[in-house]
Amino acid sequence: MALLEIDGDELRNELAAIGRFILVGILNTAIGYAIILTGLAAGLGDYSANLAGFVLGFPIAYTLQRRWTFRTSSKATILEAALYALCFLAAYGINLAVIAIGRRLGYEENAIVQLAAICFYSGSFYVLTRLIVFRGKAPASQSRRN
């Protein structure tokens, strides 16, 4: 699907999917960020607290993104889950890079750096999952009734 070839309905559907992704992301971010802050308060340190937040949020995010954001009705496959996990790992690598940069700049165990890392993770994760995992599955219109 080339950007210039998108008709009005396709554009509305894609924007609706982005909106749903953001809503799921806000919910998942709130859960993950609470876990991260709890981990930091418990003395886990930047990397361990961050990992705990993402690992515990992963299954929730996959289920909600698959069913609600991209409205995939087909049966989940091992390949799809593996691709989703690979996209997660790539986006998580970007997340860790932001934390590493923050630490190099002297902001260790900083809540703002953690939040910035989550934002970079979220943006890259949408692009990756949309282009790799759910690329052939155009998001259905919210107004479509079965």
Side-chain angles (χ1 to χ4, degrees):
M1 164 175 70
L3 184 59
L4 297 176
E5 295 176 18
I6 296 176
D7 68 23
D9 286 338
E10 289 174 324
L11 180 59
R12 278 189 291 283
N13 290 344
E14 194 65 40
L15 291 174
I18 291 170
R20 292 188 300 269
F21 183 88
I22 290 169
L23 290 175
V24 169
I26 289 169
L27 173 64
N28 204 50
T29 297
I31 293 167
Y33 194 50
I35 294 167
I36 289 168
L37 293 178
T38 301
L40 288 173
L44 289 181
D46 282 325
Y47 296 110
S48 296
N50 191 272
L51 180 62
F54 279 93
V55 166
L56 295 175
F58 182 82
I60 296 166
Y62 175 68
T63 301
L64 289 174
Q65 297 299 5
R66 183 175 201 287
R67 298 256 185 218
W68 193 57
T69 299
F70 298 106
R71 299 188 171 193
T72 303
S73 59
S74 62
K75 185 177 177 180
T77 65
I78 292 173
L79 176 61
E80 180 187 85
L83 289 172
Y84 188 87
L86 288 173
C87 290
F88 165 78
L89 290 174
Y92 188 69
I94 292 168
N95 170 75
L96 290 179
V98 171
I99 292 172
I101 290 167
R103 289 175 60 91
R104 297 275 278 163
L105 294 173
Y107 297 103
E108 293 182 22
E109 299 181 15
N110 184 287
I112 300 299
V113 171
Q114 292 287 343
L115 189 57
I118 288 170
C119 290
F120 275 90
Y121 161 84
S122 297
S124 60
F125 196 41
Y126 178 82
V127 171
L128 291 169
T129 55
R130 185 68 182 110
L131 295 177
I132 296 170
V133 182
F134 302 109
R135 71 171 175 232
K137 301 161 184 153
S141 170
Q142 288 182 330
S143 63
R144 188 170 83 183
R145 305 273 186 232
N146 291 335

